Amino acid sequence: MSDTPFGFGLPPEEPENGDEGKKKDPTEGGQSAGGMGNPFGFGPGAGAGGDNPFAAMFGSMNPNDLGAAFQQLGQMLSYEGGPVNWDMAKQIARQTVSQGAPDGSKDASVGPSERTAVDEALRLADLWLDGVTSMPSGSVSTVAWSRAEWVEASLPAWQQLVDPVAERVGLAMGDVLPEEMQAMAGPLIGMMRSMGGAMFGQQIGQAVGVLAGEVVGSTDIGLPLGPAGKAALLPLNVERFGKDLSVPQDEVRLYLALREAAHQRLFAHVPWLRSHLFGAVEAYARGIKVDTSKLEDVVGQFDPSQPEQLQDALQQGMFQPEDTPEQKASLARLETALALVEGWVDAVVHEAAKSRLTSSDALRETMRRRRASGGPAEQTFATLIGLQLRPRRLRDASRLWASLTDARGLEGRDALWAHPDMLPTAHDLDDPDGFVHHEQADFSELDKMLGEAAKGSRKPSEDDEGKEDGKGGPEQ
């Protein structure tokens, strides 16, 4: 995790002379391009200027770089959009991708042979899944993405995830002054909001760019980040995933295709699931408390020539989850939902792969550990939105879904996705046997009761009224 998570500076430039351009003295810029130790190129050990980001930005620039820096500063101050400068986020993400991943791998256009291999793997995976789930295919098309293409496709989803939190910070920037002073301080507040949007954009762009070097598909974090119905794999990252596993590349690709295709089925045929997950993130964001005392200190001493003051306030943790029952419930709902999604995918993929892929157990364990630990980019988003998008109870959920398959069959297991109220809860993950074997409601009996009630509510005939009169009324 970066020591300056909301820092800003010049985006990394792509070396003109390929790999040779990356071989620099490590004392001049921290880690190599794409590393997360000092992702924005300044801070302790970042060359001239030390902790001063402007000094680091301008200390050793040639005239062209200096002009670019002033242009970026102008973009920051002139931004008038929403809580996040998404144009800047996209620019930073693309430039981060162009620098390559920490392992030195560089992005490249996907070739015809790679596209064919991905298409065949995803189509075969869909055939295998037909026998282990009652949900039909959810893939309308298949696609092989480069890292840059993944950035383009996923930014709308990140916007939906991050904007609620950034909005709260932006509103707080306008509330730190007394009301009678806000009219006079309008330009200052506008400048702070513009810079806040740019700083969020810079940080998100960096994180998305680094994450693009890690993801293997469109559903890696348990949320649908790509267009609906489009099953996707990133061939370069698939190759990196299996590099040190001693597993044939075809098996790695097929296993990851199974996971992507299973996610696609779930999100395509459980129409409420996407809004349920994104709504849980938004509900969690609504409960975040912004520490306006830090902003008040910044506003009282704000110097437009030193925008790093605002950066420092953001860096030091300006928003924290409120310790309220509502906030705890939102977090538990989100974590449980993520665990159920990933647990279902893990269970059905294992069932489909265990008799077909000799390395399915090793690939399953590798993926489980990867999802449990998360990467640098996921840690960055934990800072951005205040939570970690990881299924903490993936193994528990997977065991529960497997037990449900044994007890109720594919139809009975998958029928639980019909409504969110039918899904297992966090308590059920603690006691899976209790959930699997509890008495199920007899809906046929309920239908009979409702039918009888409907007959009893019809308007009585005159004969019925006469019979009722003959019985006499209740005693007075």
Side-chain angles (χ1 to χ4, degrees), residues 162-237:
V162 176
D163 268 353
V165 177
E167 179 68 30
R168 292 189 63 81
V169 176
L171 291 174
M173 290 179 177
D175 295 338
V176 295
L177 291 176
E179 186 175 351
E180 61 274 12
M181 294 180 61
Q182 289 189 19
M184 294 183 293
L188 175 62
I189 294 173
M191 180 185 298
M192 292 179 63
R193 285 180 174 172
S194 295
M195 296 188 64
M199 290 175 184
F200 265 106
Q202 183 112 19
Q203 175 69 354
I204 293 165
Q206 175 73 15
V208 170
V210 174
L211 190 58
E214 302 173 1
V215 295
V216 295
S218 70
T219 54
D220 278 34
I221 66 168
L223 296 173
L225 298 180
K230 184 170 288 188
L233 290 179
L234 282 72
L236 177 59
N237 292 355

Side-chain angles (χ1 to χ4, degrees), residues 20 45 51 71 98 143 185 232 268 275 279 360 369:
E20 292 300 319
D51 292 329
Q71 182 180 10
S98 73
V143 63
S275 59
S360 63
R369 292 180 180 180

Side-chain angles (χ1 to χ4, degrees), residues 116-135:
T116 299
V118 166
D119 179 72
E120 291 177 351
L122 287 167
R123 292 184 185 280
L124 181 58
D126 249 341
L127 290 175
W128 289 0
L129 289 173
D130 285 340
V132 295
T133 173
S134 63
M135 296 183 188

Side-chain angles (χ1 to χ4, degrees), residues 47-70:
D51 292 329
N52 185 335
F54 267 24
M57 186 188 291
F58 302 141
S60 59
M61 289 185 181
N62 61 42
N64 291 335
D65 290 340
L66 189 60
F70 278 117

